[in-house]
Amino acid sequence: MTSPSNGSARPSAAPLPTWRHPAFRRGLVEMLEIAPGLAAWGLVAGVAMAKSGLGVPMALFMSLVVFAGSAQLASLPLIAAGAPIWVVWATALCINLRFVVFSTQWRPYFGHLPRRLRLVLGYFTADLNYVVFMRRFPEPKPGPDQLPYFWGGVACNWVSWQVPSIAGIVLADQIPTEWGLAFAGTMALVALMGTMLGSFSTWVAAGVAGAAAVAAYALPLRLNIVIAIAAAVAMGVMLEHLQPRKTPGGAR
């Protein structure tokens, strides 16, 4: 992977490797504060996969190939109960519908890239990478630092998830269930999410998402997650349009 040169100091110099780009390091560092919560959830997912009867090889395959924690945790009870495969697929599809919403937001940044590269980006994309990236680049237009920043963030995310997940699969019998890792991971992620709510509109959108998720909790296939995301996006867009826009001269 390579990145375009910043072109400011030495226009004729070879482009920096992506991992040496300053934006890569920035993306990695900004994801590190979220890594503990991700690691806790990865460990929980690994233990759950190992204890669902999948077997270690299949659990490792699922962790590395599927790489979608919510869908994995939702589909495991169905697999263990012997549910029809279409039910498992439908459940995973419904839970991951949120990435359709995310993809429409990513398009202004990465829509110009080759399709093969966009498919690779899709594999590594995760919820919190989306949140951190949008916080760093709120203007929806391409920029030279965005791709290295993305790779730095997803590298941290992938390692923070896969290493604990594989450890959970391999060491499932040695990890006591009374540790309450799922609750600890959830609380860590909620606390970290709170640090990202920097404006009135984000607080309102988060509140609407929480209320919608609770109100729709009885829906099957965890559709309440999709409804919560759609409600939050709708509220965020509405509040953004209601805000007075700045003119070039500073007047509103």
Side-chain angles (χ1 to χ4, degrees):
M1 295 180 291
T2 59
S3 65
S5 168
N6 57 25
S8 58
R10 293 182 300 171
S12 59
L16 286 173
T18 298
W19 63 274
R20 293 185 60 188
H21 196 288
F24 180 94
R25 190 180 311 111
R26 189 181 308 122
L28 189 149
V29 169
E30 291 183 4
M31 277 298 294
L32 280 177
E33 62 184 30
I34 306 173
L38 289 172
W41 261 109
L43 188 61
V44 170
V47 173
M49 283 189 287
K51 294 189 175 181
S52 67
L54 282 179
V56 172
M58 186 58 69
L60 290 173
F61 178 81
M62 186 178 188
S63 179
L64 293 171
V65 175
V66 177
F67 187 39
S70 298
Q72 289 174 228
L73 291 173
S75 60
L76 285 174
L78 300 175
I79 295 173
I85 190 64
W86 69 267
V87 174
V88 178
W89 278 101
T91 302
L93 177 64
C94 289
I95 292 174
N96 286 333
L97 279 177
R98 67 189 188 279
F99 285 102
V100 176
V101 179
F102 294 163
S103 296
T104 61
Q105 304 295 313
W106 287 110
R107 183 176 177 81
Y109 303 93
F110 299 139
H112 63 285
L113 298 175
R115 179 176 301 173
R116 181 176 299 180
L117 177 56
R118 281 183 280 141
L119 289 174
V120 176
L121 299 183
Y123 167 78
F124 285 100
T125 297
D127 303 65
L128 293 173
N129 289 123
Y130 166 82
V131 174
V132 175
F133 184 94
M134 293 301 169
R135 182 179 63 180
R136 169 60 61 181
F137 301 103
E139 292 293 329
K141 57 184 180 181
D145 290 347
Q146 292 169 356
L147 193 56
Y149 182 88
F150 174 90
W151 283 121
V154 298
C156 178
N157 181 80
W158 194 89
V159 172
S160 299
W161 177 268
Q162 293 292 358
V163 171
S165 178
I166 292 172
I169 293 170
V170 176
L171 304 173
D173 294 334
Q174 282 71 45
I175 298 176
T177 55
E178 59 269 21
W179 281 7
L181 291 170
F183 182 73
T186 300
M187 295 310 296
L189 293 178
V190 168
L192 291 167
M193 183 192 71
T195 66
M196 299 177 182
L197 303 179
S199 65
F200 173 76
S201 59
T202 56
W203 275 101
V204 173
V208 168
V214 173
Y217 185 75
L219 291 177
L221 306 180
R222 297 201 176 188
L223 283 172
N224 62 320
I225 296 175
V226 180
I227 290 176
I229 292 171
V233 171
M235 179 58 68
V237 171
M238 186 182 73
L239 291 175
E240 183 178 341
H241 282 282
L242 289 176
Q243 289 178 350
R245 298 186 180 279
K246 293 182 179 179
T247 63
R252 291 173 180 268

